[in-house]
């Protein structure tokens, strides 16, 4: 059975939640930059992976990357929503001079850059020296770019959220990242947006506007359900409201739906904070001590760590027709 939040938890006063999560110690009020205060004292940090542009095929279109980035960045700016964009250096290179130009937009105001590795590597297949190489080579564009505005790159997010498939490797990885001055970026809400985007890209290639709209609707419906599901999961496991961290990819589908997506969070009572503000919550002070070959969201890792029984089968899957349509070749 799904666990629903109690009316009390939904109505939890803003100040109580902020005190609990330690936000009151921040010099800048958390919501100073936000358009409207959240209804239920909930906050979410928006993050995008695979910057500058998560393309599906082997060739990357600079025009598609420019159009998507323009839309995502302007929507975030207009709504005054902080966000962190995690970059793969090989995707920057693939776009030529356009790559660094697009990233410059993520190095100002409420937007921030993060490291996602040189390539979209799977840490399960690399030893620690190989992982370190990915980290360092991943800084080639973003480190000097951030430094040019007196900024740093505080967060690294692992591709696939694979952060150590054995306990020994997990601990070594933790030490490695601390020695490079990184915090590992968490993720608490996943919508399999890459899968919906594959279907969307196929409909786009076929110029099938009706199908594109159908995919958009299915994606947004699924996202609405997942926002609720993961919020309830985290509350069940941790016994309180924790800042959520939304995992998105810089792709065509999210560019087309970003305004509605942000609206879904507002409707669910969320305000927006930066990743640094979200991860200032004590829940994120240490990585969940859970070694896994897979990349589950943090709620599942916290559940395993605390031995809270969760039936992951209750989580809604994307509709079957999405993956069927995405994988059709004709
Ligand atoms: Zn990625």
């Amino acid at each position: 059975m799904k666990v629903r939040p109690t009316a009390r938890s939904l109505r939890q006063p803003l100040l109580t939640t902020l005190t609990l999560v330690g936000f009151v110690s921040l010099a800048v009020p958390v919501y100073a930059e936000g358009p409207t205060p959240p209804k239920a004292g909930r906050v979410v940090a928006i993050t995008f992976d695979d910057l500058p542009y998560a393309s599906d095929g082997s060739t990357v279109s600079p025009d598609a990357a420019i159009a998507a980035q323009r839309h995502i960045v302007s929507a975030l700016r207009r709504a005054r929503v902080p966000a962190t964009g995690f970059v793969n250096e090989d995707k920057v290179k693939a776009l030529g001079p356009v790559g660094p130009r697009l990233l410059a937009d993520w190095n100002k105001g409420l937007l921030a850059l993060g490291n996602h590795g040189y390539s979209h590597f799977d840490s399960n297949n690399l030893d620690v020296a190989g992982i370190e190489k990915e980290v360092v080579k991943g800084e080639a564009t973003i480190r000097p770019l951030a430094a040019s505005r007196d900024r740093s790159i505080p967060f690294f997010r692992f591709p696939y959220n694979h952060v150590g498939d054995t306990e020994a490797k997990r601990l070594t990885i933790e030490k490695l990242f601390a020695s490079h001055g990184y915090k590992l970026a968490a993720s608490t809400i996943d919508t399999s947006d890459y899968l919906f985007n594959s279907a969307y890209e196929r409909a786009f290639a076929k110029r099938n506007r009706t199908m594109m709209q159908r995919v958009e609707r299915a994606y947004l419906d699924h996202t609405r359900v997942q926002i609720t599901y993961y919020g309830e999961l985290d509350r069940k496991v941790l016994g309180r409201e924790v800042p959520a961290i939304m995992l998105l990819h810089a792709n065509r589908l999210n560019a087309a739906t970003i305004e509605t997506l942000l609206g879904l969070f507002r409707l669910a009572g969320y305000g927006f904070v930066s990743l640094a503000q979200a991860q200032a919550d004590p829940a994120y002070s240490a990585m969940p001590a859970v070694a896994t070959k897979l990349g589950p969201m943090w709620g599942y890792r916290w559940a395993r760590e605390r031995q809270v029984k969760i039936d992951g089968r209750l989580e809604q899957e994307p509709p079957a027709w999405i993956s069927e349509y995405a994988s059709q070749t004709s």
Side-chain angles (χ1 to χ4, degrees), residues 244-303:
I245 301 172
M246 180 66 175
L247 172 64
L248 295 166
H249 292 84
N251 60 31
R252 192 188 303 275
L253 178 59
N254 284 325
T257 53
I258 180 69
E259 285 96 345
T260 318
L261 237 150
L262 297 176
L264 289 178
F265 277 105
R266 285 198 196 92
L267 276 174
Y270 285 87
F272 298 100
V273 292
S274 69
L275 183 60
Q277 286 168 324
Q279 289 204 201
D281 185 284
Y284 297 102
S285 61
M287 281 286 295
V290 173
T292 167
K293 276 191 168 54
L294 306 172
M297 291 295 97
W298 259 236
Y300 289 120
R301 296 177 202 233
W302 285 322

Side-chain angles (χ1 to χ4, degrees), residues 131-299:
I131 295 171
E132 186 165 27
K133 222 166 148 184
E134 283 282 348
V135 175
V136 174
K137 283 175 74 186
E139 296 174 343
T141 302
I142 54 174
R143 180 73 74 191
L145 191 60
S148 71
R149 284 186 167 255
D150 292 327
R151 288 176 166 210
S152 62
I153 306 284
F155 288 101
F156 186 97
R157 178 178 280 145
F158 273 89
Y160 316 105
N161 273 311
H162 289 174
V163 297
D165 51 345
T166 64
E167 184 58 13
K169 192 164 174 183
R170 193 188 70 71
L171 288 169
T172 316
I173 282 176
E174 251 188 43
K175 281 196 200 111
L176 170 74
F177 281 80
S179 74
H180 281 270
Y182 283 110
K183 280 186 194 147
L184 294 181
S187 315
T188 70
I189 307 174
D190 172 42
T191 57
S192 305
D193 63 332
Y194 65 93
L195 187 63
F196 287 91
N197 188 61
S198 297
Y200 197 63
E201 283 290 351
R202 182 162 186 268
F204 177 82
K206 292 175 117 21
R207 297 170 194 272
N208 187 340
R209 188 67 214 149
T210 309
M211 184 51 104
M212 286 173 76
Q213 285 169 348
R214 223 184 128 197
V215 175
E216 281 179 24
R217 275 198 302 274
Y219 172 54
L220 291 165
D221 279 349
H222 185 64
T223 300
R224 186 172 37 78
V225 171
Q226 293 297 77
I227 290 170
T228 305
Y229 175 82
Y230 279 110
E232 287 172 359
L233 172 66
D234 296 347
R235 282 190 290 280
K236 179 179 180 186
V237 175
L238 298 177
R240 65 179 175 90
E241 198 81 47
V242 283
I245 301 172
M246 180 66 175
L247 172 64
L248 295 166
H249 292 84
N251 60 31
R252 192 188 303 275
L253 178 59
N254 284 325
T257 53
I258 180 69
E259 285 96 345
T260 318
L261 237 150
L262 297 176
L264 289 178
F265 277 105
R266 285 198 196 92
L267 276 174
Y270 285 87
F272 298 100
V273 292
S274 69
L275 183 60
Q277 286 168 324
Q279 289 204 201
D281 185 284
Y284 297 102
S285 61
M287 281 286 295
V290 173
T292 167
K293 276 191 168 54
L294 306 172
M297 291 295 97
W298 259 236

Side-chain angles (χ1 to χ4, degrees), residues 49-50 86 88 91 116 120 157-161 247 249:
D49 283 8
D50 299 7
F86 288 91
N88 285 131
K91 293 187 177 67
H116 198 40
H120 207 269
R157 178 178 280 145
F158 273 89
Y160 316 105
N161 273 311
L247 172 64
H249 292 84

